[in-house]
Amino acid sequence: MSAHESEWTLRRLRAGELAAAEAARVQAHAAGCETCAQALRGLDDAQARFEAEVPFERFEAGVERALQRQRRQDAARPPPRRWVATTVAIAASLLVVVLVRPLLTPDATSTEGLGLNRLKGGTAAELRIGGGLGPQREATPGTPEPLDPGERVMLGYKAGTHRYVAALSVDAIGEVSPLHPESGASAPVGPGSDQQWLPSGWEFTGSGAERVILVLSDEPLPMETLAEAARRAFEKADGEVVRMAPLEVPGEQTHWVLLKP
């Protein structure tokens, strides 16, 4: 058995994902182990550097302007057309992994549905991109967003009445990567009704499209169940990640598409 805690365990401690007894044990260990204490400080420093490069306050002002534009557009456009067939292909939004907006109901099947950013009960989701040479920005569900080299991603949400959150990504060849949490089941949402941010960040490597999916649910969903649902959706889309339909799982989903350089 290792004398030190794994990085995965320390990340879960920072994210508040450990049970109370386990969290107390790991904290006690880190208090007397300089190696693990230094690893925890390194995680804190990495998060602080990312937040310094992509300040939330400035971005939130842009988000509010975008929401106001969306409200005006929604008021001006006719009601979305409802499709009967469940096999209609959708140009969903894609994303990627270093730090990680609109939510999707499980039965939405149109491209417009992927552009929603608020659902019942005040639920919402957001994907921010930053850390590159240009200014930070928000990815719009339903619109593929090109990434520049070195850019990273953060995921935020308002859970509404939902109690659990999970995130995963699917790349152009169908490989599924759990983002938050990395294993187990979806994690409890953060306290309060304000915007919450997932504790980790992601920088996606390679090239091609990557779909990022955030799922809010009333009960915890095993990450393997979500991953298997993503694989089935990829197969039903004939291996075209940009055409994947919503996952067949309970809860509300948001999908983004990122185009890696």
Side-chain angles (χ1 to χ4, degrees), residues 166-170 176-180 211-213 215 223 226-227 230 247:
L168 62 159
S169 73
V170 187
V176 180
S177 299
L179 302 182
H180 178 81
R211 176 182 295 265
V212 172
I213 307 167
V215 181
M223 292 304 293
L226 293 172
L247 308 188

Side-chain angles (χ1 to χ4, degrees), residues 104-107 168 213 215-217 221-222 225-230 232 246-253 255:
L104 179 66
T105 54
D107 61 348
L168 62 159
I213 307 167
V215 181
L216 291 167
S217 58
L221 302 174
T225 297
L226 293 172
E228 190 58 39
R232 289 196 302 269
L247 308 188
E248 295 178 351
V249 296
E252 296 181 277
Q253 305 171 33
H255 291 226

